[in-house]
């Protein structure tokens, strides 16, 4: 997936992810916003790093 250059994923990225999961891009965006809020982060990269540190994601 490509990013918009600001550390944020683009709308096209969310649409592509949604297509793979049979969801709309808006649904992906909404779920990611909830994950980011729960982990108190502002990017997917930060979410992965925090999730790994908390043991929610295994390497």
């Amino acid at each position: 997936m490509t990013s918009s250059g600001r550390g944020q994923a683009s709308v096209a990225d969310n649409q592509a992810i949604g297509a793979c999961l049979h969801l709309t891009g808006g649904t992906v965006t909404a779920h990611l916003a909830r994950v980011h809020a729960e982990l108190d982060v502002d990017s997917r990269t930060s979410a992965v790093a925090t999730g790994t540190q908390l043991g929610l994601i295994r390497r």
Side-chain angles (χ1 to χ4, degrees):
M1 303 289 154
T2 60
S3 69
S4 62
R6 297 185 329 249
Q8 299 291 327
S10 71
V11 172
D13 292 333
N14 289 345
Q15 290 173 343
I17 292 166
C20 291
L21 298 172
H22 304 287
L23 303 170
T24 67
T27 300
V28 173
T29 300
H31 283 295
L32 289 172
R34 289 185 189 110
V35 168
H36 291 170
E38 185 71 28
L39 296 175
D40 193 27
V41 298
D42 61 2
S43 71
R44 291 177 192 198
T45 302
S46 296
V48 171
T50 301
T52 301
Q53 289 171 349
L54 294 173
L56 302 172
I57 299 171
R58 293 187 214 151
R59 289 183 167 206

